[in-house]
Amino acid sequence: MKKVTLLATLLLPFLAHAQNAYEYTGDKINLETHYFQSQNLGKLEGDKKLTYQGMDIYGNYMLSCQHTGVATIYLLNQGNFDKEKQFKLASFSKANHANTVSFGVEFANENDKLPLVYISQCSTERVNGMNNVVYVERIENNLKTSKLMQTICFKGTEISSNSPVEWVVDRENEFLYAYSSTAAWNAQGGKHRLTKFHLPKLSASDADGIVTLTDRDVLDTYTIEDRYKSSFNNTVQGLHICDNLLFVPSGSGTTKSPSILYVWDLATRSMRNVIDLSVATTGELEDCSVHDGMLYLQTQGQLYKLIF
């Protein structure tokens, strides 16, 4: 598959003529070089009054969300992206930051074009007694409306209630991860916590369409700083999982907040790559998705394609 090619070239050294290996003495010479192309595909066409937030891609459809839950559907075609429809999500509200968008694996209807999509509220503001929820929505085939099918929340001690939570789906393994900070949003000194759950089925909802996860549902939890001791951008944005790798875009392209893409290995709990995107992109990094062997990256108003 093409996405495997992307990840292989992104994460492994390039070896030429490996069959001819000879030993030499003296200082070690580093022959590894890493290059990638960054293509600005153009401006996003959302609501000009709202900030851009979460994004994900399924098939040739890209779902781009803005604060409050305004959604724009684009059709990707040979490197171009064309606006199809724009609408308000069923979860539209002032409290919905729509910070992370993640397509799941389950279809509400077997004839649907798109699987269920998971929208991170990513706000400490409570709605119906819940905060930091993930809204699970069905996008209708007309691509102009959506229906709220499920609301997932967490009530327990493993995730801090002081910091907004981002949720991301591991499609290949059918897990749901919560990404949070042990300190308040944008506060110094906090650690970045990953908490793993089974991805709830629609049938797991109660009569009100709610799934409440507790400490008993936690499959695994740890902070990245438990294993990664180097500096780490305090504030991150979107999340995407592909081939057991967690892609974490962060920063806004400034000296104080440089644009950095972290690639965290979920299997080995190690940092596979730290890629500086300060020159390759402009604006605050928001969310990303692997598509057709390349990494698509939504910034504040622009769409980039990274080819490794």
Side-chain angles (χ1 to χ4, degrees):
M1 297 176 63
K2 290 185 178 179
K3 69 180 180 181
V4 176
T5 303
L6 160 70
L7 297 172
T9 54
L10 169 60
L11 302 171
L12 297 178
F14 176 75
L15 301 178
H17 307 297
Q19 67 272 23
N20 297 321
Y22 300 97
E23 184 178 359
Y24 68 95
T25 60
D27 294 335
K28 182 179 179 180
I29 300 174
N30 183 6
L31 298 178
E32 297 180 18
T33 55
H34 298 273
Y35 298 97
F36 68 92
Q37 298 177 33
S38 176
Q39 297 181 6
N40 187 338
L41 300 181
K43 293 182 63 176
L44 297 165
E45 299 181 61
D47 188 323
K48 295 180 180 180
K49 298 179 182 179
L50 299 172
T51 58
Y52 291 91
Q53 300 301 327
M55 178 273 285
D56 200 9
I57 298 170
Y58 182 86
N60 288 325
Y61 290 104
M62 183 180 87
L63 173 62
S64 170
C65 287
Q66 294 174 270
H67 175 66
T68 67
V70 170
T72 305
I73 301 283
Y74 298 88
L75 184 63
L76 301 177
N77 183 23
Q78 296 181 347
N80 298 316
F81 68 111
D82 301 309
K83 181 179 177 180
E84 293 286 302
K85 305 291 182 180
Q86 187 175 106
F87 60 96
K88 293 180 179 179
L89 293 170
S91 58
F92 175 86
S93 78
K94 292 181 179 179
N96 186 6
H97 193 45
N99 199 66
T100 306
V101 171
S102 192
F103 280 110
V105 298
E106 192 173 0
F107 288 81
N109 186 299
E110 62 180 7
N111 296 320
D112 283 354
K113 295 178 180 178
L114 298 170
L116 297 172
V117 63
Y118 294 71
I119 312 291
S120 294
Q121 177 206 10
C122 206
S123 169
T124 55
E125 184 174 345
R126 291 186 174 273
V127 178
N128 298 325
M130 301 178 292
N131 68 332
N132 284 325
V133 302
V134 54
Y135 299 111
V136 185
E137 304 204 19
R138 175 196 180 192
I139 298 177
E140 306 289 349
N141 283 335
N142 60 14
L143 305 180
K144 296 191 294 186
T145 55
S146 70
K147 181 180 180 181
L148 182 61
M149 306 296 294
Q150 186 181 68
T151 301
I152 301 173
C153 67
F154 178 81
K155 293 184 178 180
T157 60
E158 294 295 346
I159 300 176
S160 171
S161 60
N162 297 322
S163 176
V165 177
E166 298 180 65
W167 300 84
V168 61
V169 175
D170 178 354
R171 288 178 48 82
E172 287 107 334
N173 300 299
E174 298 191 22
F175 292 124
L176 179 66
Y177 283 86
Y179 188 98
S180 60
S181 174
T182 58
W185 180 84
N186 209 24
Q188 298 298 320
K191 295 183 178 181
H192 301 82
R193 177 170 294 280
L194 277 170
T195 307
K196 178 181 177 182
F197 305 90
H198 286 299
L199 183 63
K201 300 289 187 181
L202 278 183
S203 58
S205 306
D206 65 15
D208 296 318
I210 296 173
V211 171
T212 301
L213 300 173
T214 68
D215 288 340
R216 290 179 298 178
D217 298 301
V218 174
L219 301 176
D220 194 13
T221 185
Y222 61 92
T223 68
I224 287 178
E225 286 81 359
D226 290 342
R227 299 291 296 271
Y228 183 65
K229 304 302 181 182
S230 300
S231 60
F232 195 96
N233 263 5
N234 192 60
T235 303
V236 299
Q237 299 297 336
L239 302 168
H240 183 72
I241 294 176
C242 182
D243 285 353
N244 287 317
L245 299 174
L246 176 68
F247 293 82
V248 185
S250 68
S252 54
T254 65
T255 302
K256 292 184 177 180
S257 180
S259 295
I260 296 175
L261 175 68
Y262 297 97
V263 184
W264 180 256
D265 192 319
L266 294 168
T268 63
R269 296 190 185 184
S270 62
M271 191 66 76
R272 295 287 293 271
N273 283 86
V274 178
I275 303 173
D276 187 346
L277 297 178
S278 296
V279 177
T281 62
T282 59
E284 184 178 19
L285 305 188
E286 295 299 341
D287 209 350
C288 63
S289 182
V290 173
H291 169 70
D292 200 22
M294 290 159 284
L295 187 72
Y296 284 72
L297 182 66
Q298 176 167 286
T299 69
Q300 199 51 248
Q302 304 286 329
L303 182 68
Y304 286 85
K305 180 170 66 175
L306 305 185
I307 306 170
F308 292 91

